[in-house]
Amino acid sequence: MFSRTLYKEKVRQFQKKKLPKGLLNSVFSSKQVQRKFPIQAALHIVLDGALVGILTTVAIMSSVALHSQYLWTKSFTKLETTRDLNRRILESTSILESYLLKNQKLSRNLVPTKAEDLLYLARPKPEETKIKLDMTFKSRLLERISSFPFKSGY
């Protein structure tokens, strides 16, 4: 059995010994590993290249995903702004329409109608329209004046 002091001395002696640099270089030299194990060295090179490629692809795809998410967020914000402006325009238009209908006297003359109340007129014949176009300016002016509605009263 070893005593503790003896064991400690051997450990210290081993720790003080330095391995020659040539030994380290020969054990961990990539050229010697390639000579001894060419298939394993080639596999390591291929796997290193694949890992670098995968990391590059992940970095590129992450940047593309983040950029497209930024663009989508920007477009959605513009869409929300556009919808809000559209809603405001509709509200202001309805307010203006209600104000005009309340303050105009024409609204009393207008009545709500249905599709059944509409009258559909036949299209005028081309000969009649040609005759109208051929009429003189004076007769057209007189016809226009006579077609205006007359207001009742004084």
Side-chain angles (χ1 to χ4, degrees), residues 46-104:
V46 168
L47 288 177
D48 288 343
L51 286 174
V52 169
I54 288 173
L55 288 176
T56 305
T57 305
V58 166
I60 290 171
M61 294 307 290
S62 297
S63 63
V64 166
L66 288 173
H67 182 66
S68 62
Q69 185 177 9
Y70 165 74
L71 291 177
W72 186 86
T73 304
K74 194 174 175 181
S75 297
F76 190 75
T77 306
K78 283 182 182 178
L79 176 67
E80 282 183 335
T81 305
T82 305
R83 284 182 177 168
D84 187 44
L85 288 174
N86 191 20
R87 184 184 51 80
R88 287 183 183 182
I89 286 173
L90 289 175
E91 285 177 2
S92 63
T93 303
S94 67
I95 290 170
L96 284 172
E97 284 176 354
S98 65
Y99 174 77
L100 286 173
L101 287 175
K102 284 179 186 175
N103 292 332
Q104 280 189 349

Side-chain angles (χ1 to χ4, degrees), residues 23-41:
L23 178 67
L24 284 175
N25 286 340
S26 66
V27 172
F28 299 110
S29 169
S30 65
K31 288 182 182 179
Q32 283 198 356
V33 170
Q34 282 180 350
R35 282 188 206 133
K36 283 185 180 178
F37 311 104
I39 296 173
Q40 187 179 8

Side-chain angles (χ1 to χ4, degrees), residues 1-13:
M1 200 162 197
F2 292 105
S3 69
R4 290 186 176 179
T5 55
L6 241 181
Y7 180 70
K8 285 184 180 180
E9 283 180 23
K10 287 185 179 182
V11 169
R12 283 186 195 149
Q13 286 175 0

Side-chain angles (χ1 to χ4, degrees), residues 119-138:
L119 296 176
Y120 294 98
L121 301 175
R123 185 177 219 161
K125 296 178 183 175
E127 299 87 33
E128 292 177 8
T129 55
K130 190 172 184 178
I131 293 171
K132 292 249 184 196
L133 289 175
D134 291 340
M135 291 171 53
T136 62
F137 174 73
K138 190 174 183 183

